[in-house]
Amino acid sequence: MTIAEHPAGRLFVPGATAQAAPAAPVATAIPRAVTWSKVDTGFHVASRAGEYVGSVDTTPDGHFVAFDGTSAPIGRYAELSEAKSAVLAWKPERTRIRDRRLSETVAPIAASAGLVAAATAALGALLSVVPV
């Protein structure tokens, strides 16, 4: 008996048969990669799907200054790879505050869950050794 034939089914129609609903397309969110472009001597720009992410500029003394998505300086680095990593890892202040508050909230909960799991495992091991 199909759901359409069952009296408790929400689509009950006497004498009707169930038909499979058409499958809805599934959209998957694939994070887009950051693309680095060397737009001038010593100047590199990062973009994601055409949107500006940040940049790295070379100083006259050979260091690299990383800039965020608002062109505010993030820091000064000895290696280009370090400066590029800083641009990719940079988060706005609001996001950093939110992440810090979230981790301060979640950490005690996770620790408590770990203690409960450890106690449950110890009790299970003890009960499996002790004859009943």
Side-chain angles (χ1 to χ4, degrees), residues 16-77:
T17 58
Q19 295 178 356
V26 177
T28 56
I30 300 172
R32 301 205 182 222
V34 172
T35 304
W36 285 95
S37 301
K38 186 175 181 179
V39 295
D40 198 3
T41 304
F43 188 65
H44 304 264
V45 174
S47 62
R48 179 182 293 120
E51 186 175 329
Y52 177 72
V53 174
S55 61
V56 175
D57 198 4
T58 308
T59 62
D61 64 354
H63 286 90
F64 301 92
V65 179
F67 296 90
D68 67 14
T70 63
S71 296
I74 298 172
R76 181 181 169 113
Y77 303 91

Side-chain angles (χ1 to χ4, degrees), residues 5-22:
E5 296 168 342
H6 194 276
R10 71 178 187 177
L11 301 176
F12 177 69
V13 178
T17 58
Q19 295 178 356

